[in-house]
């Protein structure tokens, strides 16, 4: 069972009021499926996935002075915002490193502009390379798996997992939050939620 | 399909149309439209049955209309009765007669002076009810103003909730920033007459949970009330109150438990 927090404890922990929580719910800053109804001794109560919710509230609080609530809602929504970005723009704004761009071009050939989904793939690759979690050849594998399965993914809930065992590595892409049990020599190197990438990328692009 | 945007149709008497794109559509008798309709202006003074969706600038329904699909309009006025099987989305909606929507109702300004029922969710910026509203799902608005009678099976969520009780109001949950519930005081002669025939003790709001920053409640029955500053007026029956800053309770209110958090 995921770690849940009650509404009352959440307001306390995040230091927000009922009014704020309800306003953010109205503005779709918090996904509907994060509101989990459970029965308790005082009747029905609302619970939230603790880590996701606290992270989201932290983000809203830190960004709400710069962005309007509607802009924030756009950022958190899984749907892509902009339609395409030119290559010049991409390098000029320093969104991804040249290394990952080269790898992407190697894999796909050159194009003059990138769609949001292509940018997302690039951004995922870049992040994993930058953190040192994958090497170049594993990066190529990542490009392949993202490419082949991009249509099967519901971007909001999808997760990316990277596992290595005795030097052999592979990726897992799952459209649902997954619980994995791996053998002892295998190591989960990276475990990401794809919507996290989407949010970060949107923030960089805006 | 060839564009017929500049054309109008007017059905007087009884007629059928296959739908299409028009400037103005006017029904004065009885009409049956067998497809989607796109127009600038839709007016129905008689009865119309539309087997499809409507997209229109303005819609004015003085008679009765049944739409099997979705409705999208900038401005819509319902003086008669309208049944929509799909969703209704509209910048400005005014219901003076009766309307029922099987799907969701979305709008900027929603004014109900008659009766409206929504099977799905209702969301709008301003919702103003002086009549009767029934919502099976949730109701979300920046401001929710009610002077009449509402029943919301889900959550009523609005920035400002202002309720003047007239007969029985009900919501499963209520949440927002400022919530005010008052009993109507300025009873005119006519209202007194109505009240004489209808049970006077029925002016009451029932909810399971009410949560907000600032609350003022009268004649409210609730399991749990939570908020920062809470004022409980006369006629309230509340099982449990949780407050942060301040709490005032009227002598005639019945509160089983209260706790400062």
């Amino acid at each position: 069972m995921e770690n849940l927090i009650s509404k009352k404890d959440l307001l306390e922990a995040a230091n927000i009021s009922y009014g704020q929580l309800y306003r953010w719910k109205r503005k779709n800053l918090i996904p509907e499926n994060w509101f989990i109804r459970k029965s308790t001794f005082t009747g029905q109560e609302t619970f939230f996935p603790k880590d996701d919710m606290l992270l989201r509230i932290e983000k809203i609080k830190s960004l709400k002075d710069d962005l309007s609530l509607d802009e924030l809602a756009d950022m958190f929504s899984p749907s892509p915002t902009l339609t395409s970005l030119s290559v010049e723009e991409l390098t000029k704004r320093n969104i991804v490193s040249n290394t990952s761009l080269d790898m992407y071009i190697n894999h796909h050939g050159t194009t003059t502009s990138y769609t949001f989904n292509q940018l997302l793939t690039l951004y995922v690759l870049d992040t994993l390379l930058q953190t040192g979690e994958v090497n170049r050849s594993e990066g190529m594998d990542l490009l392949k798996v993202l490419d082949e399965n991009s249509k099967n993914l519901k971007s909001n809930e999808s997760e990316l997992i990277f596992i290595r065992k005795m030097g052999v590595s592979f990726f897992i892409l799952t459209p649902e939050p997954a619980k994995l049990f791996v053998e002892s020599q295998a190591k989960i190197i990276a475990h990401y939620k794809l919507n996290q990438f989407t949010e970060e990328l949107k923030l960089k692009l805006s | 399909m060839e564009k017929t945007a500049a054309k109008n149709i007017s059905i007087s008497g009884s007629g059928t149309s296959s739908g299409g794109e028009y400037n103005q559509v006017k029904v004065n008798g009885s009409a049956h439209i067998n497809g989607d309709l796109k127009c600038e202006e839709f007016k129905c003074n008689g009865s119309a049955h539309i087997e499809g969706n409507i997209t229109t600038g303005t819609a004015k329904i003085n008679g009765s209309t049944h739409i099997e699909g979705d409705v999208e309009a900038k401005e819509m006025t319902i003086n008669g009765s309208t049944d929509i099987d799909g969703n209704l989305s509209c910048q400005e909606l005014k219901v003076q007669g009766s309307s029922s929507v099987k799907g969701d109702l979305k709008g900027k300004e929603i004014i109900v002076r008659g009766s409206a029922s929504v099977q799905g969710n209702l969301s709008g910026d301003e919702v103003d009810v002086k009549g009767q509203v029934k919502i099976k799902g949730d109701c979300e608005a920046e401001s929710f103003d009610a002077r009449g009678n509402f029943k919301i099976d889900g959550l009523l969520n609005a920035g400002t909730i202002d309720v003047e009780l007239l007969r029985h109001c009900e919501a499963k949950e209520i949440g927002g920033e400022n919530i005010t519930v008052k009993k109507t005081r300025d009873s005119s002669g006519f209202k007194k007459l109505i009240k004489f025939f209808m049970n006077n003790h029925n002016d009451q709001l029932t909810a399971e949970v009410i949560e907000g920053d600032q609350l003022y409640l009268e004649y409210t029955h609730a399991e749990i009330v939570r908020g920062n500053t809470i004022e409980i007026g006369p006629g309230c029956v509340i099982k449990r109150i949780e407050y942060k800053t301040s709490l005032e309770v009227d002598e005639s209110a019945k509160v089983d438990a209260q706790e400062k958090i």
Side-chain angles (χ1 to χ4, degrees), chain A residues 7-8 11-12 15-23 25-28 32 37 42-46, chain B residues 138 140-142 155 157-159 172-177 211-213 224 226-228 242 244 261:
Chain A
K7 194 193 273 172
K8 198 174 26 177
L11 298 186
E12 183 88 19
N15 192 23
I16 57 168
S17 69
Y18 282 110
Q20 275 170 310
L21 181 69
Y22 280 106
R23 194 185 315 128
K25 177 180 177 9
R26 276 205 303 283
K27 289 289 184 185
N28 296 322
E32 191 69 44
R37 321 268 316 153
T42 49
Q44 283 242 319
E45 293 276 351
T46 307
Chain B
D138 298 337
E140 291 192 334
E142 288 313 305
L155 166 73
N157 173 5
K172 187 157 190 290
E173 270 185 71
I174 299 176
E177 281 128 69
E211 293 171 334
D213 294 345
I224 301 173
R226 298 190 180 106
N228 292 349
E242 291 171 7
K244 226 175 174 174
I261 292 171

